Amino acid sequence: MEVIIQPDYHQLTTVASEIIRDALLKKPNLVLGLATGSTPIGLYKALVRMYKEDRLDFSEVTTFNLDEYVGIPYQHPQSYHTFMANYFFDHVNIPKENQHIPQNTTENHEAFCEVYEETIKRAGGIDIQVLGIGTDGHIGFNEASSSLASRTRIKTLSRSTLEANAAHFGGDVNAVPEMAITMGIGTIMEAKQCLLLANGVSKADAIAKAIEGPITSMVPASILQMHSKTVVLIDETAASDLKEVEYYKRSYANKLKLQSR
Ligand code: GLP
């Protein structure tokens, strides 16, 4: 795992946007796995800025979102369809037909999930999967105890996730949809690269467990230790429970030194 610690949120999302920009310049038909939540908002803003000011071209990009609530319409202000339109899709030139988000209104979840997996395969697999992390270590909506080999499926949200997400539903935990469709952990692990972003002290415990703890389904993000190309990008506060901060910082400084030769 490559752990990159940045002084603050702005700088961590800047580094994340540069990783995606560099990959896109090398491969114009990049396949991106995308996440929602407050964490990647700065990344989307930076990419929109690159599109508008630097003419970064997304016209051949394909995207697959990690997850979506079940049981609320696309147009709901808190649906992940609305989130992606507001923060990213409405502001860059990714063709509509290349944007994939799990369907929240499907009658047949099982068939839909199979089609979603197939569509990812047909696109050639995900090149870079952007991930946030829940305070309990979940990725996507793969809650603690999710199979580490799971595929796209419907999941019931844990109490802690419902409580964390209630803030987006007027503080009413009962208004948060109880179920979601999420890419599985096995699906995420097939991405060629994973980019896990976290900021703030509320994520420090989950980050320490995911990076330095044992691999366990009780901390789904810990499976990323088995991924050959994962970059964890965090700010100082999210890094505050890590034991090996000095090592991660020195490793990253050495990488930059080698790159500048
Ligand atoms: C939700 C999403 C996750 C996200 C997590 C953390 O559960 N399904 O993909 O990583 O929230 O969100 P935030 O970035 O707002 O802390």
Side-chain angles (χ1 to χ4, degrees):
M1 257 181 180
E2 183 181 1
V3 181
I4 303 177
I5 302 170
Q6 291 293 303
D8 57 34
Y9 177 69
H10 175 72
Q11 293 189 54
L12 91 82
T13 53
T14 301
V15 174
S17 67
E18 287 167 356
I19 290 173
I20 291 178
R21 178 201 58 201
D22 293 351
L24 184 48
L25 291 174
K26 272 194 206 128
K27 187 184 179 212
N29 61 345
L30 199 68
V31 180
L32 282 174
L34 299 177
T36 51
S38 52
T39 313
I41 290 175
L43 164 64
Y44 296 138
K45 281 191 179 149
L47 290 173
V48 168
R49 194 198 52 73
M50 287 171 175
Y51 167 70
K52 290 193 170 151
E53 291 174 16
D54 310 334
R55 300 189 181 181
L56 187 63
D57 181 19
F58 291 83
S59 62
E60 291 178 50
V61 166
T62 298
T63 64
F64 290 92
N65 265 78
L66 276 172
D67 48 15
E68 174 60 288
Y69 292 113
V70 166
I72 54 172
Y74 295 133
Q75 308 80 1
H76 189 285
Q78 293 309 326
S79 82
Y80 289 168
H81 281 77
T82 301
F83 176 100
M84 290 309 299
N86 287 348
Y87 288 106
F88 196 42
F89 293 153
D90 283 357
H91 311 287
V92 291
N93 63 336
I94 300 172
K96 258 225 155 347
E97 62 275 19
N98 290 6
Q99 305 167 3
H100 304 279
I101 304 180
Q103 271 179 26
N104 42 1
T105 48
T106 177
E107 291 289 303
N108 188 342
H109 299 111
E110 215 171 299
F112 172 78
C113 292
E114 267 175 43
V115 170
Y116 204 65
E117 291 271 341
E118 261 315 302
T119 316
I120 294 173
K121 274 198 197 108
R122 254 188 288 122
I126 291 170
D127 292 305
I128 301 180
Q129 175 65 58
V130 177
L131 295 167
I133 187 169
T135 49
D136 58 354
H138 75 253
I139 46 177
F141 271 128
N142 294 286
E143 302 287 21
S145 83
S146 287
S147 159
L148 296 178
S150 50
R151 311 301 308 186
T152 302
R153 70 215 181 290
I154 193 161
K155 282 293 284 182
T156 292
L157 307 193
S158 71
R159 183 55 47 191
S160 84
T161 300
L162 291 171
E163 280 164 9
N165 292 1
H168 303 294
F169 289 82
D172 179 6
V173 76
N174 297 315
V176 185
E178 257 199 285
M179 289 187 284
I181 290 181
T182 181
M183 274 187 208
I185 297 177
T187 321
I188 293 168
M189 287 293 283
E190 279 172 13
K192 288 160 200 130
Q193 180 173 11
C194 289
L195 195 54
L196 176 71
L197 312 180
N199 68 295
V201 73
S202 66
K203 300 292 170 71
D205 180 53
I207 283 293
K209 285 179 177 151
I211 298 174
E212 295 178 341
I215 297 172
T216 165
S217 65
M218 295 311 287
V219 183
S222 64
I223 192 63
L224 294 169
Q225 294 173 31
M226 295 290 291
H227 193 285
S228 61
K229 214 174 165 205
T230 285
V231 177
V232 181
L233 252 166
I234 51 183
D235 71 350
E236 291 280 358
T237 54
S240 54
D241 284 357
L242 287 170
K243 290 194 190 82
E244 300 297 336
V245 168
E246 186 275 338
Y247 177 71
Y248 305 135
K249 286 189 175 172
R250 203 154 42 80
S251 299
Y252 186 55
N254 279 337
K255 181 184 172 181
L256 294 182
K257 245 188 252 166
L258 282 177
Q259 281 174 352
S260 65
R261 269 191 198 163

